[in-house]
């Protein structure tokens, strides 16, 4: 069975009408994604379908996937089912956007990607995209381009303090699956930070080892991690650090990438929205060797680089790009196959912070899967929920 | 034997005329320290005594200490001899300033402090001070006072990126002892960072465990550590991180301390000299429990706190305070007894980065001493030196 011939409009169904699914539906119904038409919505809770009287309703993703009313699906369900529903959609040749994280574990992510690769063999045009909306942010694109073009020289150190993901208890109570091992498989590292972890590896590459400190339910009545302070080792000797929590306010979002030829700093917290580049007119490594003064330092220029006017199209941009990939053959901004990296890095940090051990990458996927299954099996945590809270305004929910 | 009756002027001798000793001599001879008179200088290299024709010259610290021409000494020799010369001076009842670090190892620092305590029993007025000049910096004093007064509430996270200690090879070549296990016992953690480590523990307390990544001779032709990225665990659950190197330019100096009631950020790098306080009008912990919105956050005020007009008196301030302690009974700003904390924390980071193991504090002092002696014994490193480089302008050598 081949993908349907999609000509001028991509007919899409949304699976999962929680915070994110509701947001996607609103954007499509408001005509913000040209050539994308919302034809169907799916949720196990029929009450959540009611606001969409003109669309096809499904309470089962299997039925929607096989209904013939969609060329594509957006999967915005609790995390574990990203894998199972994703595989089902891809096996049925539907173009697919999966919310982040693409899966909870590296093991699951591999299964999902394998299913895509297999389906793609029969249907080379099949598109599979991850909702890494922050890859559309002109600030990160600028940083990415500068690194790619060698402007920074060899990266020697980086660090990201991304602690402005504050969430109150009300957030965790709004979904029974949230911040449980069985329902979500983690908290800040699998829910908020996939964006930042994806961007970090997109900019600086994958580390070769990780050590993390953290807390399980440190600031909230949850059983999973709401804080993580990690150190990264890279194969070429570079170092990194990644610090996050949902328990801090107002929180910081400051990414610093130090290269031999200069330092790039993006701080979009505490009233700032600054991208700075400090250029060393002589590379540090060269100056180190040739300087004759004991206390000198390379001359540094405060290069004022063009500042993007906005934070980009975000979720709208990813959906537009998905449409362009399907209808025009445009390359995807966030191919879901790359999403396994953020999953693996999150898994490595989770494992390290729970075992207090340094974890080498690539991880053995089956081992972490087993570790997590044990956590689920042994969990005695009773989650307090307030399911009536329902979807909430997401303005400002991404950083 | 009692300390000499010092009446109106403290007669001081400087031991060691390298970078720091030369600096101290200049400040005293230029009359910048009222009631402190430089009477003698001591260096094993007689050429270094020549610029001081009017002072008493010694090539042996033992002789100067017993000469009767000094009420006090400033010890600015290579690090290991801080302990031995310090003990000798204190046992001979001389008021003593010791350059940082007070010793290379916790084991040595304990011996030094024990000698002081013993001497002090006989001479309760004996003053023993560490050259932690940055404790005179009004910015750090302000931060210290705010934390002490509970303005931040409970500290939950802190991090210090202090990477603007850049040093070229020429610096390491300027002294044969520098950056060797036998001569210095380390590099960035025992030479540049004692200031920052002391301030960090002064502000946030001592951690209960440390994990560090780092490099030995990563950016320089040296055998000791020129980079360290460390995570700190505190007994009350707080976390910290400390990132430093002498291999980066221009480098960052940004200290962030996050409390339940607000966040304090001091950034004095990249053209800034900003002390910011972001106050949460409701403590984060309280808001977390009581908020009804899933995506809300405590209201934060950008409190403009008075900015100090300068970075303080630094080395001059410490020497003035030393004089005031001796002549007026003023309390010391930097009692040398507190210097053991920065030594222990540096040792813990060094041990962790070399063993890739988490290190618990308090450390077993004798164990690290043994570890270091083994490094010294096994060292095959041949240091390239250019001793003629001599003392160099120190302007900008402290951050």
């Amino acid at each position: 069975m081949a993908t349907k011939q999609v000509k001028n409009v991509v007919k899409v169904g949304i699976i999962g009408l929680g915070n994110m699914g509701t947001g996607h539906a609103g954007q499509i119904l408001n005509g913000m994604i040209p050539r994308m038409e919302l034809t169907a919505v799916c949720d196990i809770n029929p009450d959540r379908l009611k606001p969409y009287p003109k669309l096809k309703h499904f309470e089962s993703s299997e039925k929607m996937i096989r209904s013939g009313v969609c060329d594509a699906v957006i999967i915005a369900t609790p995390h574990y089912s990203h894998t199972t529903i994703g595989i089902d959609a891809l096996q049925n040749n539907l173009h697919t956007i999966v919310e982040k994280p693409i899966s909870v574990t590296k093991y699951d992510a591999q299964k999902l990607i394998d299913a895509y690769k297999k389906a793609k063999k029969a249907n080379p045009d099949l598109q599979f995209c991850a909702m890494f909306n922050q890859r559309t942010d002109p600030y990160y694109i600028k940083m990415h381009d500068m690194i790619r073009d060698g402007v920074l020289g060899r990266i020697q150190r980086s660090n990201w303090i991304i602690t402005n993901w504050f969430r109150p208890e009300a957030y965790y109570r709004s979904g029974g699956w949230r911040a449980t091992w069985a329902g979500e498989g983690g908290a800040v590292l699998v829910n908020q930070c996939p964006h930042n972890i994806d961007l970090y590896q997109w900019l600086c590459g994958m580390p070769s080892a990780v050590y993390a400190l953290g807390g399980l339910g440190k600031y909230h009545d949850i059983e999973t991690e709401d804080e993580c302070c990690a150190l990264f080792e890279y194969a070429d000797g570079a170092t990194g650090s990644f610090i996050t929590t949902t328990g801090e306010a107002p929180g910081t979002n400051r990414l610093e990438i130090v290269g031999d030829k200069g330092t790039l700093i993006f701080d979009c917290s505490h009233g700032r929205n600054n991208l700075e580049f400090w250029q060393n007119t002589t590379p540090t490594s060269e100056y180190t060797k040739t300087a004759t003064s004991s206390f000198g330092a390379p001359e540094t220029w405060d290069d004022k680089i063009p500042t993007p006017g906005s934070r980009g199209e975000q979720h709208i941009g990813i959906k537009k790009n998905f449409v362009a990939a399907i209808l025009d053959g445009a390359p995807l901004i966030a191919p879901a196959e790359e999403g396994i990296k953020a999953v693996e890095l999150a898994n490595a940090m989770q494992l390290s912070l729970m075992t207090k051990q340094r974890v080498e990458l690539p991880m053995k996927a089956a081992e972490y899967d087993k570790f997590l299954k044990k956590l689920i099996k042994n969990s005695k945590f009773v989650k307090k929920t307030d399911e009536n809270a329902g979807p909430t305004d997401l303005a400002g929910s991404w950083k």
Side-chain angles (χ1 to χ4, degrees), chain A residues 152 256-259 261-265 276-280:
Chain A
L152 272 72
E256 176 176 84
I257 303 176
V258 180
K261 296 184 186 175
T263 296
L264 200 51
I265 300 170
E276 299 175 10
F277 179 58
W278 301 86
Q279 186 201 160
N280 299 337

Side-chain angles (χ1 to χ4, degrees), chain A residues 226-246:
Chain A
D226 53 4
E227 181 175 83
C228 176
C229 306
L231 297 177
F232 295 168
E233 300 172 41
Y234 293 85
D236 69 352
T239 61
S241 65
F242 184 78
I243 293 170
T244 191
T245 178
T246 54

Side-chain angles (χ1 to χ4, degrees), chain A residues 3 34 88 116 121 132 188 214 295 300 331-332 348 358 369 375 381 389:
Chain A
T3 47
D88 193 31
Y116 171 59
K121 266 189 194 159
F132 286 130
V188 67
F295 291 99
T300 300
L332 286 175
R358 177 174 170 271
D369 199 67
L375 287 173
F381 190 81

